[in-house]
Amino acid sequence: MTPLTDLLIRRIRQTGPMSLAEFMSDCLLHPEHGYYTTRDPLGAGGDFTTAPEISQMFGEIIGLCLAQNWLDQGAPSPFVLAEIGPGRGTLMADILRVTKTVPGLHAALQVHLIEASPTLKAAQAKALAAYQVTWLESVMGLPEAPLWLVANEFFDALPIRQFTRDGAGWREAQVGLADGTLTLGLSAAAPMPKLAPRMSDTKDGDIVETCPAAAPIVTEIATRIAQYGGAAVFVDYGDWRSLGDTFQALEAHQMVDPLARPGSADLTAHVAFEALAHAAQNAGAVVSQMIPQGMLLGRLGISARAEALATKLSGDALKSHIAAFDRLTSPAEMGTLFKALALAPTAKLLPPGFDA
C-alpha cells in the first residue's frame, strides 16, 4: 500500500466511487504523493523511455521541421518556441542545438515550457542552463504571439473517462472499493449526449474513452496559431478514434495493475487524435492528416541523418545507434504505434512532412 492508496480509500468511503479521470489525476498530480510530482520517471532507471531519450535524431529532425516552417512563415520576430510536458528537457535541448545555425532564429525565439512537476522542472533547468527559459503551469499563460509548439507523449498522460456501451446508454468506469481494496467497477447505464455520434460505430460491450482535459489545451494552442501564426506538432501513441480499453500502468518498464500502487506507476491511455483535430479546427486552425511517426521521420530525412551519424561510430555505439533508428521508425516498434498531427494557420503553411 502506498501513501496515496490510504488517502484514496478514505475518500471513496466518504464520497463514493470516483471516475477514472479523478483517479488518474490524483495518482499523477497529487501535490505530495503524485507520480509526476515526486520523481523523474524517464530512462533506464525510471518507468518508461520517450523518443528524445532514445536518440538525438528525434529532436533534431523535429527541430529542423519547426525551423523551416518558421522561415516559411516569414521568420517572425519575436516568436514563442514552446513544449508541453517537456520531460527532462532533452527534446528542447536537441531542438535548440540543431537550430543554432538558422539565421536569426535564436535571436527571435522565446522558450516557454509548460510543466507541472517540480522534479522535472529541475532537470529541464539543468539541460537548458545555457538558455533563458520561462516555465508556465498551463498553455493559458502562453504569450499572444506567433507560436511554434511541440508536444511529445503529453496527451497520453491526461486523465480519461471510460465508457462501456449498454443498449442505448453508457456505463462509466469507476474506482471503488471491494473488501477494503481499490477495484474497478461500472456505473448504472445512462444516456451520454456527447457520445451520441458513437452510437453508429459501436455495439453493446464496446468501450470508448474520452479525454476532457485535451480539448481546452488544444483550443488555446490553435487559437494562437490561427491568430498570430506558427505551428504545433503533436506526437503520441494512439489512433484516430477511440475504441477499446487502453488504460494502462507502467512501472520499471513493465505493465502493472493500475490500481495496485497508486502514485508509483505511470498511468496512460491511447490518444484519440480525432478529438484533438476537432478542437483545433473549431478554434480556427488547419489540421494535417494524422500520419505514423515512422512516416513523418522518414519524410523529414531521418535516414540521411542516421547515416551521417553512423560514419563516426563503431562497435557497440554503432549497434546502439542502429537499434535507436529502428525503434523510432520500425512498424514493429514506435514507427506505427505512434502518430503525429500538425496545426497551422493555413493548409499551405503546414510544417514539412505534414504537407505531402
Side-chain angles (χ1 to χ4, degrees), residues 191-251:
M192 285 293 298
K194 288 186 178 181
L195 290 180
R198 300 306 306 273
M199 298 302 288
S200 62
D201 70 336
T202 59
K203 60 184 184 301
D204 273 10
D206 280 350
I207 293 174
V208 170
E209 296 168 344
T210 67
C211 182
I217 294 170
V218 174
T219 298
E220 283 292 324
I221 296 166
T223 298
R224 283 166 171 75
I225 290 172
Q227 186 169 355
Y228 301 105
V233 174
F234 303 148
V235 182
D236 227 311
Y237 64 93
D239 218 324
W240 184 244
R241 180 172 289 182
S242 166
L243 185 62
D245 176 11
T246 71
F247 178 52
Q248 62 187 26
L250 271 177
E251 188 172 0

Side-chain angles (χ1 to χ4, degrees), residues 253-344:
H253 300 268
Q254 300 294 322
M255 300 287 288
V256 296
D257 180 352
L259 306 186
R261 289 167 46 80
S264 294
D266 181 38
L267 304 182
T268 68
H270 286 205
V271 175
F273 282 87
E274 178 184 42
L276 306 187
H278 285 172
Q281 289 166 340
N282 290 339
V286 168
V287 181
S288 73
Q289 288 188 331
M290 181 191 76
I291 59 175
Q293 174 177 296
M295 179 183 292
L296 174 64
L297 296 178
R299 288 178 177 178
L300 293 174
I302 194 172
S303 294
R305 180 55 178 154
E307 289 174 7
L309 289 172
T311 61
K312 304 174 184 178
L313 301 173
S314 61
D316 289 342
L318 180 58
K319 290 179 182 178
S320 295
H321 174 63
I322 294 171
F325 174 82
D326 287 342
R327 190 167 177 188
L328 291 175
T329 61
S330 170
E333 299 280 349
M334 301 171 73
T336 299
L337 175 63
F338 281 71
K339 310 297 195 304
L341 193 77
L343 317 183

